[in-house]
Structures are given as structure tokens and as C-alpha cells.
Amino acid sequence: MITFDPNNNKPKYQQLIDSIVDAIDSGQFDRGKQLPSINVVANEFGMARMTVTKAYDELRERGLITSHHGKGFYVASTDTRSALNVFILMDALTPYKEILLDNILENLGEGVTHTLFFHYHDIQLFENLIHDNVGKYNHYIILPHFNKSVSGILAKIPKDKLLILDIDVKEFGPDAAILFQDFESNIYKGLTECLPKINRYDSLNLVLSSKSFQYTPNGIINGFTRFCVDNSIIHDIIPDLEEDVDIQEKQAYIVFREFDLIKMINWCTKRNWKFGKEIGVISYDDTPLKEIISEGISVISNDFALMGKRAAQMILEKSKGRFPNDYYFLDRNSL
């Protein structure tokens, strides 16, 4: 009932998993059916015992088989549709991350179970959550939002069960699954698209939020700086918007947090300034709110809906490799 093709490029353990799942789906393996032992499968197909053990361990984590000490392995469930149990670790649940999450779950399909955790850019919490949950799930989606390497922590998760999302981990090779934003390239290209409008202002300012949970990748700062230098634009980086004196007429601003965006709207309203006239505003990452407020906010945004769909496809198809996700620039009325 178990088949194996030595000429197939698919990994041996994955062929073994797929063969057993197919046998369950076809009714050849009923609930309670005993599977061949690890030694029997290894000897019959010329596999290493560790290869068979890896396949059986994954089937057990998916809830499809169970083991009884001294007796062997048995089919525990015939519901292969609900076999995917996913660990998701995000930095925080922002409006655009909610779009990402909804599209991941929608495209994974019915019957998939998941547990959602947040690390809030706390590297110790990040490590603890991964350490405490390795082996409890059959797939892990991790958003490692840190400006330092966390490859050693991520290496605790088997690469065949890991999808690194949103952030590129350059220490990993082509055998890893990585779907990421190219922050430096995206902001550079997005700003280039609106260069004629930016040139209407005296300077361009990047507004950070160093005192909040808002994470700003180094690539954003590098791309912003390179764009301004290449185009001879006077520029500045503002660590935090704390007082209304932080904004000036005839200047343009790139803003991340919606809270900072609301601050700017309130301050400008008091001065009778209008976005797109007295000052220019570009927001990073689109949300439904930004389409409505102040007659529309121009945005440079990762396509989070597409990222969620592609993430689900990579999990279901067991894809490996490093892939940049698409971005877009929307020119509304704020610049």
C-alpha cells in the first residue's frame, strides 16, 4: 500500500508521507490500521531509518497516525483535510497584517487549524515562543521583524516546515522558503514614481516611531536616503512626532503609523493647512482608512493580500526559494 519511486526528484520522506496520505484517502488505510514498522519500510525501499522516522513524525504531528509504545504505528484519523496545523508568529496585529493573516487563512482552505502569537519586537520573547512550540505544529509562519540576525533562532525549526514571511533572512540558502518585502528597492521605486510631486516641496522627511512598537527596517532608511541623495533632495529623519512644531509648511513627510497620521491631520486642521497643498504626505502600507481620510492618502505599500495568497500556496505546494513580494504606489490627494 506504500509506494516509492527512486527516480522521483521529490524527497524520499515526502514521497512516503504522500503515499500514506493517498492510502488513507483511498480507504486502503482505515482508522486503527497498523502501519509497517520503521525498519520494515526502511529495508523494503532502501531508505535510512531516519528518513522513515522523519516521515512518521510529521504524520503524527498532523494527527494522522499515532504510536503505541512497543506496538507500532496506527492510523489515528482519516480526515487528511484537517491535517495542517500552523504556528503563526507576527510582530503585532496592525490593520495591514490583518489583511495578510486573513488572506493566508482563506487560501489555506477549510479545516486548517492555526495558533497566532505576537513577539512585539522583543527578541527574547521571539526566541521563547519558538523554543516552546517547536515540534507542536507541522508548519511555522514567522515574521522576524528585527534589525539583527535571528537565523540561529529560526534554525531550530526544520526548514521543510518553515516559511519566513515579510523579512529576508539572508543567512538561509535556496533550501529555505522565504517570501519577503524588498524594503530598500520598494521605497526607492515608489518615491521615484512620485518624484515630480515631491519636487514641489522644499524637503522630504522620513517620520519614524522609535518610542512605539512600530518597526522600521534598515532597508527603508537606506532606500529613502539613497533616493534623496540620487535626486539632490534635502531630507531629514524625524525619530518621533511629538509636537506640532515637528511639521513645517512646504515640506513633505513619509509616515508609518496611523496614529502619527491622525496627529498630522489634527495639527494641519488647526492651521488650515491641506494635504497636497501646504504640506505633502505619503504613508507606508495601505489600509482602507487611508483611502478615505483627508480626501485620500498617497501610499507606498506591500501587496499584503497577494503576499497572503502566495504564502498559502508556498505551504500547500511545499515550495522552496527566496521570492520578493510585489509592491504598489497609489497617488491620491495628499502629495
Side-chain angles (χ1 to χ4, degrees):
M1 299 180 189
I2 297 176
T3 59
F4 171 68
D5 180 3
N7 297 317
N8 193 319
N9 291 328
K10 186 182 292 184
K12 293 179 180 179
Y13 83 93
Q14 190 61 56
Q15 285 196 58
L16 182 53
I17 290 170
D18 293 345
S19 178
I20 293 173
V21 169
D22 289 344
I24 292 173
D25 283 338
S26 66
Q28 297 179 73
F29 280 169
D30 295 325
R31 186 190 302 272
K33 173 75 175 182
Q34 185 173 10
L35 274 65
S37 70
I38 290 174
N39 286 334
V40 166
V41 175
N43 291 334
E44 181 171 349
F45 297 111
M47 296 181 185
R49 289 187 77 260
M50 287 300 295
T51 301
V52 184
T53 299
K54 182 178 182 181
Y56 276 25
D57 281 347
E58 178 159 331
L59 289 166
R60 182 166 50 190
E61 290 171 11
R62 291 168 63 173
L64 291 177
I65 70 172
T66 187
S67 60
H68 298 293
H69 184 67
K71 295 184 178 180
F73 295 87
Y74 297 82
V75 176
S77 172
T78 57
D79 187 5
T80 57
R81 295 171 303 170
S82 61
L84 190 58
N85 186 18
V86 184
F87 172 95
I88 303 174
L89 180 55
M90 292 184 163
D91 55 331
L93 190 58
T94 57
Y96 42 89
K97 295 292 175 52
E98 191 170 359
I99 294 170
L100 172 63
L101 178 63
D102 287 347
N103 278 274
I104 291 173
L105 299 178
E106 179 183 346
N107 286 279
L108 283 177
E110 295 181 1
V112 172
T113 59
H114 76 282
T115 309
L116 178 63
F117 298 88
F118 301 101
H119 58 75
Y120 300 108
H121 315 294
D122 182 330
I123 198 164
Q124 188 59 59
L125 177 60
F126 178 81
E127 183 171 14
N128 290 344
L129 286 169
I130 290 176
H131 178 270
D132 293 344
N133 287 281
V134 168
K136 296 181 181 179
Y137 299 83
N138 50 46
H139 217 93
Y140 296 78
I141 301 175
I142 310 293
L143 281 71
H145 285 78
F146 299 95
N147 280 323
K148 61 173 66 176
S149 175
V150 291
S151 58
I153 300 172
L154 292 171
K156 298 176 181 179
I157 304 171
K159 284 185 180 177
D160 58 305
K161 299 179 182 179
L162 174 62
L163 173 61
I164 299 170
L165 202 57
D166 212 31
I167 304 294
D168 192 9
V169 178
K170 299 185 184 300
E171 295 87 348
F172 282 13
D175 58 335
I178 304 174
L179 178 59
F180 68 100
Q181 294 190 57
D182 189 339
F183 292 100
E184 182 169 347
S185 174
N186 290 355
I187 193 168
Y188 189 97
K189 291 178 180 178
L191 291 173
T192 300
E193 288 187 49
C194 56
L195 178 59
K197 286 193 171 183
I198 291 173
N199 281 332
R200 294 165 45 199
Y201 298 92
D202 295 337
S203 68
L204 180 63
N205 304 279
L206 179 64
V207 178
L208 308 182
S209 300
S210 62
K211 296 180 181 179
S212 75
F213 286 130
Q214 177 66 51
Y215 162 78
T216 306
N218 287 332
I220 291 283
I221 298 172
N222 295 339
F224 164 79
T225 304
R226 183 162 60 89
F227 166 81
C228 292
V229 170
D230 288 352
N231 293 282
S232 301
I233 294 173
I234 298 171
H235 59 283
D236 193 14
I237 295 177
I238 301 173
D240 293 280
L241 274 184
E242 296 184 317
E243 304 291 342
D244 58 0
V245 295
D246 289 332
I247 62 170
Q248 302 293 326
E249 191 174 5
K250 296 301 295 179
Q251 299 200 17
Y253 298 84
I254 303 170
V255 184
F256 284 86
R257 291 199 309 163
E258 287 190 355
F259 184 69
D260 288 336
L261 187 58
I262 298 301
K263 274 186 184 180
M264 294 186 70
I265 291 172
N266 289 335
W267 293 341
C268 289
T269 299
K270 292 176 182 177
R271 299 178 182 184
N272 293 318
W273 289 355
K274 189 173 181 180
F275 286 1
K277 290 188 177 180
E278 284 78 18
I279 71 168
V281 175
I282 306 168
S283 186
Y284 202 89
D285 286 330
D286 197 20
T287 64
L289 178 67
K290 294 172 186 176
E291 186 177 357
I292 300 169
I293 59 174
S294 293
E295 301 179 6
I297 305 297
S298 299
V299 294
I300 298 170
S301 183
N302 178 57
D303 191 333
F304 285 100
L306 177 62
M307 177 176 273
K309 180 179 180 180
R310 293 180 68 186
Q313 289 175 338
M314 289 180 71
I315 291 172
L316 296 174
E317 297 171 3
K318 301 178 175 63
S319 301
K320 302 297 177 187
R322 175 177 276 104
F323 306 99
N325 195 58
D326 294 350
Y327 88 101
Y328 57 85
F329 169 69
L330 284 179
D331 186 9
R332 293 176 175 141
N333 297 309
S334 64
L335 190 60

